[in-house]
Amino acid sequence: MTRRAVVVGVGHYLPERIVPNSEFEKTLDTSDEWIRARSGIERRHFAAEGETTSNMATDAAKAALADAELAPGDIDAIILATSTADLTFPSAATMVQAELGMTSGFAFDVQAVCAGFAYALANANALILSGQANRVLVIGAETFSRIMDWTDRATCVLFGDGAGALVLEGQEGQGTSDDRGILSTDLNSDGRYKDLLYADGGVSTKTTGYVRMQGNQVFRHAVEKLASTAHAALEKAGLTADDVDWIVPHQANIRIISGTAKKMGLPMEKVVVTVQDHGNTSAASIPLALSVGKERGQIKPGDLLVTEAIGGGLAWGAVVLRW
Ligand code: UT7
């Protein structure tokens, strides 16, 4: 028997306000055509004034708990992947814990920018396999609209806000790749590339800063590193790309998503794509895609999924799981 971290619930939250590409044409030298052609993005959601990352994370968590038919008291730990927490401290995860009325267990944030959800899943898996926790709420939530430079057309048209959540539960498997749950994880970072994508502020510089990105440089790293981490994770699980039912990628750019699928030898029919509706929601993009993919009837119990993401750091990783 082998312990596995199995998905028993999923949910998401998107802010009410939807902003189409055409909105940016009013203030910037850009066009709906350019944004669609270069990124695949058509619209994105932006949080309302006063709406925070922990608010959105709490709503996504409630949806995932309802899907799992569990109460907050059934949860041992919360891991929240975000780079846009409400406050410098405490963690947004502890705010979610309080909002849910959960008075036991523990909660913390993980900060690996767009790769944050892969890092959070790997941490949750390790907690479950070690026996530290049995049910873990894993959330990705971001309000990147708060760190956009609205005069920088190369970044501000790309990002959106939102949150997604999974409930993972420790269950006994057979120790084979037919088991449900997380089958392997692969995490990487290389700080030599920190200048390619960063926020030019932070606590020790006394500012919040704005997102700065050398998009075409990140793009070049993305396809190669995403295909390679996905392959590494599949190999660790004793599987190949032929076994994959769904790639659930980080949703930054349709050209990166399709380039990675092609490099893996998989058709776009096997990829969950939400970038057109959400834009790049950083750590929230994978759980959002998982939740929407399930709602659409794409992801079904028993399907083999590979998730992959890359972002600031650079940090990147992949998780193979059977739904
Ligand atoms: O989630 C974290 C990881 N992030 C990513 O994965 C993002 C990776 N990068 C990308 O998605 C793409 O590089 C972008 C969508 C950001 C840009 O696409 P690109 O094909 O790499 O374009 P580029 O940066 O090479 O820019 C091409 C041209 C430039 O003009 P010149 O120098 O050729 O005259 C830009 O100034 O497009 C210009 N440009 C724009 N034009 C209209 C940049 N942004 C815009 C814009 N509207 N919004």
Side-chain angles (χ1 to χ4, degrees):
M1 296 295 259
T2 305
R3 199 115 189 102
R4 297 287 193 193
V6 177
V7 177
V8 294
V10 59
H12 71 271
Y13 171 83
L14 286 160
E16 214 172 293
R17 183 174 165 224
I18 299 173
V19 175
N21 291 344
S22 54
E23 280 283 312
F24 295 98
E25 294 174 351
K26 297 176 189 161
T27 52
L28 291 170
D29 179 15
T30 190
S31 63
D32 174 40
E33 200 187 355
W34 189 96
I35 301 167
R36 277 176 199 249
R38 296 294 179 120
S39 72
I41 298 165
E42 297 172 21
R43 59 194 71 81
R44 75 285 293 138
H45 294 246
F46 283 148
E49 213 177 314
E51 191 171 36
T52 65
T53 292
S54 72
N55 299 152
M56 295 194 298
T58 303
D59 283 338
K62 284 179 180 167
L65 284 169
D67 187 46
E69 296 179 12
L70 290 171
D74 298 323
I75 300 298
D76 304 312
I78 300 174
I79 306 179
L80 172 48
T82 189
S83 301
T84 49
D86 305 26
L87 300 175
T88 301
F89 72 85
S91 67
T94 53
M95 296 183 181
V96 173
Q97 185 187 24
E99 281 299 309
L100 291 176
M102 191 180 139
T103 52
S104 61
F106 60 98
F108 61 98
D109 291 354
V110 161
Q111 208 270 55
V113 210
C114 298
F117 200 74
Y119 276 60
L121 280 179
N123 274 280
N125 188 46
L127 289 173
I128 289 171
L129 298 196
S130 71
Q132 176 70 54
N134 194 46
R135 289 204 189 101
V136 184
L137 195 46
V138 191
I139 312 169
E142 302 274 20
T143 41
F144 259 55
S145 61
R146 303 276 151 70
I147 50 169
M148 285 296 108
D149 173 353
W150 299 111
T151 66
D152 179 13
R153 68 177 183 172
T155 53
C156 74
V157 303
L158 301 174
F159 292 88
D161 300 333
L166 297 182
V167 181
L168 291 179
E169 181 180 83
Q171 293 180 6
E172 295 305 325
Q174 299 302 315
T176 73
S177 58
D178 289 335
D179 288 348
R180 287 190 65 211
I182 294 179
L183 299 176
S184 65
T185 61
D186 185 64
L187 303 182
N188 312 268
S189 67
D190 190 339
R192 286 176 300 170
Y193 299 117
K194 65 184 180 348
D195 295 336
L196 298 187
L197 175 51
Y198 62 101
D200 59 357
V203 181
S204 65
T205 56
K206 292 193 178 181
T207 59
T208 306
Y210 297 107
V211 172
R212 304 297 175 202
M213 176 165 72
Q214 294 178 44
N216 47 14
Q217 299 290 326
V218 177
F219 194 105
R220 264 179 226 137
H221 284 282
V223 174
E224 180 250 315
K225 288 183 165 49
L226 290 172
S228 128
T229 187
H231 273 303
L234 283 167
E235 202 172 8
K236 285 183 198 179
L239 296 163
T240 70
D242 290 343
D243 299 306
V244 174
D245 293 303
W246 293 103
I247 306 179
V248 187
H250 171 48
Q251 311 281 324
N253 186 316
I254 191 66
R255 292 184 297 137
I256 295 175
I257 293 171
S258 57
T260 306
K262 195 172 168 201
K263 225 169 163 46
M264 292 177 69
L266 291 169
M268 283 303 283
E269 289 70 40
K270 290 195 167 195
V271 186
V272 177
V273 180
T274 56
V275 69
Q276 68 281 5
D277 297 325
H278 302 162
N280 181 347
T281 58
S282 183
S285 91
I286 287 175
L288 270 166
L290 288 169
S291 184
V292 169
K294 186 199 166 198
E295 257 181 20
R296 284 180 188 156
Q298 293 176 305
I299 301 171
K300 296 187 191 70
D303 282 355
L304 187 83
L305 274 50
V306 56
T307 67
E308 30 87 346
I310 187 166
L314 296 173
W316 67 102
V319 175
V320 172
L321 70 125
R322 194 172 293 286
W323 194 254

